[in-house]
Amino acid sequence: MINCKSQAELDKMRRSGRIVRQVLEIVRAMVKPGVSTMDLERVAEEKIRESGAKPAFKGYYDYPWVLCTSINNEIIHGIPSEKRLLKEGDIVSIDCGVVMDGYYGDAAITVPVGATLPPELKKLLEVTETSLKRAIDQVRLGKTIGDVGAAVQEYVEANGFSVVREFVGHGIGTRLHEEPQVPNFGVRGHGTRLREGMVLAIEPMVNVGKPEARVLDDKWTAVTVDGSFSAHFEHCVAVTRNGPMVLTE
């Protein structure tokens, strides 16, 4: 069942979303060569606690941390570690979620490490973030989930990259994952029709190479099968009569 939110509920989700954004911006500023992904984790957890929110990921299916930090060929669900030191030319995807007053926020960014990023990776980040913006523009009354996914897929593939199939976006509200699923591919006009009050966590996961993914032995970290680099951006977006409302900015 798809839960459509009232304005009061959207206001609560916006507060959660703003906390997520604050955490991500603080962590983004920390990213540099020599920093460990556990350094990012500690700062994120402290900021979440200070804000009065609770981490959404920690304890979710026994996941142990508040962030997912995925480096280079890791698509999503990378586990923070003292041993994972960021290096010049890396990219790191940082995914964060919180719950406050019973409502969730969830967002992700991919950040270059250092000042020398190869042109292909710079393009990867730009294309992935732009595909998210194009998907957000489809979050309008009468549009469909297929329109949202097609907006991502069309732009990504036109730029020579691929979208991951095994992992998708989702509805969000009083639970971290709600209906409907929100793939980053689709056929325009197909799928669930968008209604006022629906909230979608849209999260393009884009690979330089082929789209296939596999999960490592840690049972969490998803990587590209061909070893190519991957980028991930995410926003929570509400359907309103006035168009898309981004709750995580």
Side-chain angles (χ1 to χ4, degrees), residues 176-236:
L176 180 59
H177 295 105
E178 297 184 351
E179 291 296 326
Q181 292 193 342
V182 186
N184 295 305
F185 54 92
V187 178
R188 290 187 180 272
H190 286 234
T192 301
R193 197 159 296 279
L194 304 186
R195 307 194 305 273
E196 186 173 1
M198 289 173 63
V199 181
L200 309 178
I202 306 171
E203 47 180 323
M205 291 159 261
V206 176
N207 299 344
V208 169
K210 295 180 180 179
E212 289 79 17
R214 65 183 179 89
V215 177
L216 298 183
D217 290 342
D218 64 17
K219 308 299 183 186
W220 284 105
T221 309
V223 302
T224 58
V225 168
D226 63 7
S228 64
F229 281 26
S230 186
H232 176 213
F233 286 85
E234 178 181 17
H235 268 307
C236 292

Side-chain angles (χ1 to χ4, degrees), residues 102-229:
Y103 289 83
Y104 284 82
D106 186 10
I109 55 176
T110 302
V111 184
V113 181
T116 55
L117 195 66
E120 183 179 52
L121 294 185
K122 183 178 180 182
K123 181 182 178 183
L124 173 68
L125 268 59
E126 290 172 348
V127 167
T128 307
E129 189 166 21
T130 299
S131 76
L132 174 56
K133 293 175 182 176
R134 288 181 172 234
I136 290 170
D137 191 55
Q138 298 297 308
V139 182
R140 299 176 185 276
L141 293 175
K143 291 283 190 177
T144 67
I145 292 295
D147 292 320
V148 175
V152 174
Q153 182 180 10
E154 291 165 2
Y155 187 73
V156 167
E157 293 179 352
N159 279 278
F161 299 128
S162 65
V163 294
V164 172
R165 302 299 204 275
E166 288 92 337
F167 302 96
V168 299
H170 50 93
I172 187 169
T174 56
R175 291 176 292 141
L176 180 59
H177 295 105
E178 297 184 351
E179 291 296 326
Q181 292 193 342
V182 186
N184 295 305
F185 54 92
V187 178
R188 290 187 180 272
H190 286 234
T192 301
R193 197 159 296 279
L194 304 186
R195 307 194 305 273
E196 186 173 1
M198 289 173 63
V199 181
L200 309 178
I202 306 171
E203 47 180 323
M205 291 159 261
V206 176
N207 299 344
V208 169
K210 295 180 180 179
E212 289 79 17
R214 65 183 179 89
V215 177
L216 298 183
D217 290 342
D218 64 17
K219 308 299 183 186
W220 284 105
T221 309
V223 302
T224 58
V225 168
D226 63 7
S228 64
F229 281 26

Side-chain angles (χ1 to χ4, degrees), residues 24-41:
L24 289 176
E25 293 308 316
I26 289 170
V27 172
R28 183 203 297 270
M30 290 182 62
V31 170
K32 62 181 180 181
V35 170
S36 78
T37 52
M38 186 59 73
D39 293 331
L40 307 182
E41 166 73 17

